[in-house]
Amino acid sequence: MTMPDSLYGAVMLSLIDFFASMVMITGIGVVLALFPLLNRIGKVDEDALRKSQH
Amino acid sequence: MFEQFLSFLGALLDQTGLAHFWWGNAVMIAVGCTMIYLAVAKGYEPLLLVGIGFSCVIANVPGSDLTQPGGLFHYAYQGVQLLVVPPLIFFGVGAMTDFAPMIANPKLVILGAAAHLGIFVALIGAKLLGFSLNEAGAIGIIGGADGPMAIFMTIKLAPHLLPQISVAAYSYMALMPLIQPPVMKLLTTREERLIRMKQSRHVTRLEKIAFPIVIGIIVNLFFPPVAPLITMLMLGNLFREVLVVSRLAKTAANDLMNVIIIILTLAIGSTMAAEQFLTLQTIEIVGLGLLAFVFGTGSGVIGAKIMNLFLKEKINPLLGSAGIASVPIAARVSHNVALEYDKENYLIYHAMGPNLAGVFGTAISGAIMLALLGVK
């Protein structure tokens, strides 16, 4: 089902898109908030990475 | 014999561009020269405006073959039209960009969506002016202030509007330091502009490496319509952050990016021929683009103020306007406006968070729009 090509369709599209974007980007924010947990896995040795240039 | 001489001379003149020159060409040549002037004398986005301005001038010299099939500008435009150039721009941007400000302060990510109300104001405005829903969607995306995304969406939704939309998007991005500050000042108090942000946490290398991989998976999983752009953004960023392929990251961020900018600017300017450009439709699109930028800036600032109602530690509302994607122009504007009121209030790092989130916000809006309009 697609949006009708009318003013009603434009308003509906805008409302759904705006709120869905907010929800999705909030979801990305939640994923990013969990990122510090990654540091429990271990640590990356930056000096070693810099030395092993390819 | 004299008549024959005149007739040959007439035929010769007819083969030059001079015979086909009309006032519209003169207007567009003046527009091109103004762009070059703004870039050179005022410093407005010279990387973009010099190339766009020059190819706009050449595109309006009748007889120039550069914009015709076989001409270099024509093939530059093919790169844009075939959606080769926009993902490569994202690739270069990814290799240039440190996403740490976004990772460090996830709550500011929401401003990347809040600042996109302008997209929908322009979309509804375009529909009221009689554009089709697909055309209105493409026009609305100007408000995302993301040039490659505007091009990508326009090719998908309304390819015939590409010249007007790409020019409006890139021109307004260059003019953001003029458009945004009055709106930001109108919607904030002096006290709010003086709010200082707390130092962000340190983001480790592991987080920086994980970021492009995680986002690459999320985008391809949830937003396949815009995945080509964001995937390339993340690939460029991965090259940068893994540290073991620095020469690839440097190539993507410098040499390749420079080549792509040349191709992109020539392509955009070459579409600005007077016959296509000097229409009422162009004026409407340019007007709607401005409306989108103003509302996007405003909604970002208001979004930040709404967040402050719930936050113990208040954020500077000037960060909200940075949620418009244009990286790093919008972040720089937030920083500069804050500096006007407090010479030691450096917002740039904090503003980069919502600014980078704005790229994702525009991409997500675009993906949802394509899905709702049934366009693949």
Side-chain angles (χ1 to χ4, degrees):
Chain A
M1 196 178 111
T2 55
M3 288 289 161
D5 192 350
S6 61
L7 185 60
Y8 171 77
V11 173
M12 284 301 288
L13 174 68
S14 300
L15 287 174
I16 295 171
D17 197 336
F18 186 64
F19 286 107
S21 301
M22 286 290 242
V23 171
M24 296 292 184
I25 205 121
T26 304
I28 290 179
V30 170
V31 171
L32 292 181
L34 299 173
F35 262 46
L37 297 176
L38 284 170
N39 297 315
R40 292 186 185 178
I41 297 171
K43 197 180 164 191
V44 173
D45 185 349
E46 292 195 22
D47 291 335
L49 290 178
R50 283 202 173 90
K51 280 177 193 158
S52 62
Q53 289 293 321
H54 294 279
Chain B
M1 190 182 157
F2 183 66
E3 276 178 14
Q4 215 169 19
F5 175 77
L6 281 180
S7 130
F8 277 126
L9 209 61
L12 194 67
L13 188 69
D14 215 33
Q15 283 183 38
T16 68
L18 210 57
H20 305 282
F21 195 86
W22 62 295
W23 65 265
N25 295 127
V27 170
M28 292 310 292
I29 287 172
V31 168
C33 290
T34 305
M35 285 182 174
I36 297 171
Y37 169 77
L38 288 174
V40 177
K42 303 285 180 187
Y44 292 153
E45 298 304 315
L47 285 176
L48 298 175
L49 289 187
V50 172
I52 294 176
F54 183 77
S55 59
C56 169
V57 170
I58 299 302
N60 282 285
V61 178
S64 170
D65 285 339
L66 276 166
T67 56
Q68 305 301 320
L72 187 63
F73 289 6
H74 172 79
Y75 292 115
Y77 181 70
Q78 292 295 304
V80 173
Q81 199 172 31
L82 295 171
L83 293 177
V84 176
V85 169
L88 285 176
I89 296 173
F90 266 60
F91 179 53
V93 171
M96 280 179 180
T97 308
D98 179 6
F99 282 91
M102 187 176 155
I103 303 169
N105 207 343
K107 67 173 178 284
L108 294 183
V109 165
I110 201 160
L111 295 173
H116 286 114
L117 190 68
I119 292 177
F120 309 110
V121 171
L123 189 154
I124 294 169
K127 192 65 210 156
L128 283 170
L129 288 173
F131 287 93
S132 73
L133 195 54
N134 280 16
E135 289 173 334
I139 293 166
I141 285 292
I142 297 173
D146 183 335
M149 187 59 73
I151 291 172
F152 186 86
M153 290 292 291
T154 306
I155 295 286
K156 296 266 184 187
L157 291 173
H160 56 285
L161 295 182
L162 186 62
Q164 289 93 331
I165 289 177
S166 53
V167 167
Y170 277 101
S171 303
Y172 284 135
M173 279 161 62
L175 295 173
M176 276 169 84
L178 294 180
I179 298 169
Q180 286 196 302
V183 182
M184 295 158 74
K185 290 174 188 174
L186 186 73
L187 295 173
T188 51
T189 62
R190 185 182 163 79
E191 289 68 37
E192 285 173 328
R193 284 173 231 143
L194 289 170
I195 294 175
R196 289 194 181 185
M197 298 291 293
K198 201 180 89 182
Q199 174 93 30
S200 295
R201 75 172 178 89
H202 171 70
V203 176
T204 64
R205 180 63 48 190
L206 182 59
E207 291 175 75
K208 288 182 177 183
I209 293 174
F211 177 79
I213 299 169
V214 170
I215 297 292
I217 293 169
I218 291 175
V219 166
N220 279 276
L221 203 59
F222 292 101
F223 316 110
V226 292
L229 295 182
I230 301 296
T231 303
M232 290 306 287
L233 181 77
M234 293 297 101
L235 177 64
N237 190 246
L238 185 62
F239 279 0
R240 172 196 163 94
E241 301 299 352
V242 290
L243 300 177
V244 294
V245 286
S246 296
R247 67 179 203 197
L248 297 185
K250 278 181 190 157
T251 301
N254 299 303
D255 302 341
L256 179 65
M257 191 63 170
N258 291 340
V259 171
I260 293 297
I261 287 173
I262 294 169
I263 294 172
L264 177 75
T265 55
L266 293 182
I268 292 172
S270 70
T271 61
M272 295 174 70
E275 296 80 10
Q276 298 160 350
F277 211 79
L278 289 180
T279 61
L280 178 64
Q281 209 177 44
T282 302
I283 296 168
E284 289 173 345
I285 291 171
V286 169
L288 288 165
L290 181 62
L291 197 70
F293 269 65
V294 169
F295 271 87
T297 302
S299 68
V301 173
I302 291 170
K305 291 176 75 148
I306 292 172
M307 281 177 71
N308 273 344
L309 297 175
F310 303 97
L311 292 173
K312 270 187 193 163
E313 201 167 305
K314 307 295 178 202
I315 58 170
N316 191 317
L318 295 176
L319 295 177
S321 61
I324 279 194
S326 183
V327 178
I329 307 171
R332 255 191 334 239
V333 174
S334 296
H335 175 72
N336 289 337
V337 174
L339 277 185
E340 280 180 34
Y341 296 89
D342 177 355
K343 294 286 174 218
E344 288 177 1
N345 192 4
Y346 302 107
L347 281 189
I348 188 74
Y349 185 85
H350 305 283
M352 281 304 288
N355 201 192
L356 293 167
V359 176
F360 295 101
T362 309
I364 292 168
S365 282
I368 294 167
M369 194 183 289
L370 289 175
L372 290 173
L373 290 172
V375 177
K376 289 202 172 178

